[in-house]
């Protein structure tokens, strides 16, 4: 029986020459068609091997052609694409971090479509610097003496330490020897920069005197790193930024702070997420600061270095800068995002990340109820709106919780993991959190304009 079925499977070459094979090969490449056909055939053979007695498809029928076309189109979907974030985690490294403001997207488009004055000085017609477009803006907003921008914050730290520290000691608390996602480990970064790391204090407690007693002739930098992705709670303490800055300056040292998230505003709900703003760090005496463009700032991937003019000047001369430089599209988006921090703009309204952080629970709740009404029209799905928590970030970002309202969704007869998996397979894919065998959809990170696609995805997922 199954032996006969094996024999009825077409040879790929022959099938490619059939009417259906030829039609599909005109729309796609015959290599793609052959690959998908091969997948279909292996799948059928596997079934037959396992003793399944199936009815074979009509390989020359319009129905089979449609099935093939659907699979071929699926293969053609770009790998990187728009995704709906229903997790309520606002800055999610795996989901591309900060969504950009309209102004930033428009600025990127304008620069992408044609030529730009990226590195030309329009007054003199001579060669200019890409950094000039952003330096004065950053200084105006933060009060820093000088600024420089690179590819990301990791690059900013590597470049800064690699410029100021080689051959010298960098003093850092044992409570701050962190790994920031992936393989970016502070001790390794210090070692790579050619400096010697001097650890002081303990994991939970480090005092200013611990730093003071570690200073030698060879000390050059006091480094403070924001632990970002973890917290020490309970019996713990560390010196203030001001104490560290004072100690550094009394001893002619550089006080460097890697802020990671680096908030430019400390208003509203943002103040709960960040212990101090970039401006506060500078005012307290940080000589050099590094932070990301795509965390709390709400812009594109970028690494921002602020600080004393003579230090920034030296960093600019490091040949590594060329390898870590920011590209023109990110630069355009960064400038446009930073401009949203200038009056009369209110960044809390204009920068999507800040808007999401500041949306109050009742407002999210209204959107949750609206989503629930739509969801109830989908046969098989059950939902309810309940209290929940949104997160500032995951992974390399602050883990602060914000009260929210979420839609808990389940489908009797299907476990939540399976439903979540099906939602990831829709177009656009939807990413959700699963708690207690239910999906939690948090409208805080769902754009109003994505609601329709989300409901469509839920419909697709339960079909
Ligand atoms: C996130 C983070 C980094 C890395 O920033 P990227 O922009 O992702 O390179 C470095 N240091 C700290 C403290 C961070 O939080």
């Amino acid at each position: 029986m199954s032996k006969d079925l094996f024999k009825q499977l077409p040879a790929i070459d022959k099938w490619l020459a059939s009417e259906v094979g030829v039609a599909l090969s005109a729309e796609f490449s015959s290599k793609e068609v052959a690959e998908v056909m091969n997948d279909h055939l292996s799948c059928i053979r596997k079934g037959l091997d396992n003793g399944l007695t199936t009815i074979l498809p009509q390989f020359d029928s319009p129905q089979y052609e449609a099935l093939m076309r659907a699979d071929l189109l699926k293969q053609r979907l770009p790998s990187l694409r728009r995704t709906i974030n229903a997790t309520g985690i606002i800055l999610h490294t795996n989901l591309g971090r900060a969504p950009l403001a309209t102004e930033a997207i428009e600025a990127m488009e304008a620069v992408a479509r044609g030529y730009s004055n990226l590195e030309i000085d329009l007054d003199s017609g001579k060669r200019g610097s890409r950094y000039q477009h952003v330096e004065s803006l950053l200084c105006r907003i933060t009060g820093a003496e000088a600024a420089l921008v690179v590819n990301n914050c990791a690059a900013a730290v590597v470049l800064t330490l690699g410029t100021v520290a080689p051959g010298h000691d960098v003093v850092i608390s044992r409570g701050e020897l962190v790994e920031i996602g992936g393989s970016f480990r502070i001790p390794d970064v210090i070692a790579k920069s050619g400096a010697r790391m001097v650890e002081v204090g303990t994991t939970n407690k480090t005092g200013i005197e611990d730093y003071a007693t570690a200073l030698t002739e060879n000390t050059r930098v006091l480094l403070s790193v924001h632990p970002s992705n973890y917290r020490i709670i309970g019996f713990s303490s560390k010196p203030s930024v001001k104490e560290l800055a004072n100690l550094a300056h009394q001893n002619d040292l550089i006080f460097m702070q890697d802020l990671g998230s680096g908030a430019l505003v400390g208003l509203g709900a943002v103040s709960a997420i960040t212990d101090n703003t970039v401006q506060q760090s500078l005012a307290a005496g940080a000589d050099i600061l590094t932070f990301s463009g795509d965390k709390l700032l709400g812009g594109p991937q970028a690494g921002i270095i602020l600080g004393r003019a003579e230090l920034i000047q030296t960093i600019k001369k490091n040949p590594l800068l060329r390898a870590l430089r920011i590209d023109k599209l990110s630069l355009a988006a960064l400038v446009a995002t930073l401009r949203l921090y200038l009056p009369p703009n209110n960044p809390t309204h204009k920068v999507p990340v800040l808007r999401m952080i500041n949306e109050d629970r009742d407002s999210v709740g209204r959107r949750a109820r609206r989503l629930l009404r739509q969801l109830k029209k989908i046969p098989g799905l059950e939902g309810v709106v309940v209290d929940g928590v949104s997160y500032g970030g995951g992974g390399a970002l602050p883990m602060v919780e914000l009260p929210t309202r979420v839609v808990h969704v389940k489908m009797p007869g299907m476990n939540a993991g399976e439903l979540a998996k099906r939602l990831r397979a829709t177009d656009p894919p939807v990413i959700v959190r699963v708690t207690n065998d239910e999906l939690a959809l948090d409208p805080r990170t769902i754009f109003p304009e994505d609601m329709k696609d989300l409901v469509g995805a839920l419909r697709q997922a339960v079909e």
Side-chain angles (χ1 to χ4, degrees), residues 282-298:
L282 287 169
D287 298 299
I288 205 118
L289 277 187
T290 49
F291 57 99
S292 276
D294 55 353
K295 292 183 182 170
L296 285 174
L297 195 154

Side-chain angles (χ1 to χ4, degrees), residues 97 152-154 180 184 225-226 228 258-261 292 294-295 396:
R97 291 201 188 149
N152 60 10
C153 184
I180 314 279
F184 191 77
V225 176
H226 196 285
S228 294
D258 176 23
L259 285 175
S261 278
S292 276
D294 55 353
K295 292 183 182 170

Side-chain angles (χ1 to χ4, degrees), residues 189-203:
V189 171
I190 295 173
K192 271 274 171 221
S193 76
R196 194 172 77 98
M197 180 174 77
V198 176
E199 310 168 28
V200 297
T202 62
T203 306

Side-chain angles (χ1 to χ4, degrees), residues 1-75:
M1 167 72 186
S2 80
K3 220 176 211 156
D4 289 346
L5 288 174
F6 272 116
K7 274 197 208 138
Q8 284 173 35
L9 296 177
I12 292 196
D13 283 349
K14 227 171 170 182
W15 177 83
L16 277 175
S18 73
E19 207 176 308
V20 170
V22 168
L24 289 168
S25 301
E27 276 175 64
F28 304 88
S29 71
S30 43
K31 187 155 177 280
E32 284 170 285
V33 180
E35 269 168 19
V36 172
M37 184 59 173
N38 204 12
D39 286 347
H40 282 196
L41 292 177
S42 331
C43 192
I44 294 170
R45 275 195 206 101
K46 212 172 187 180
L48 293 177
D49 276 339
N50 288 333
L52 291 180
T53 48
T54 49
I55 299 170
L56 293 184
Q58 289 282 311
F59 292 102
D60 53 0
S61 65
Q63 289 81 358
Y64 191 71
E65 183 178 336
L67 184 78
M68 280 289 291
R69 183 172 290 111
D71 280 358
L72 281 157
L73 285 172
K74 214 175 210 170
Q75 291 234 324

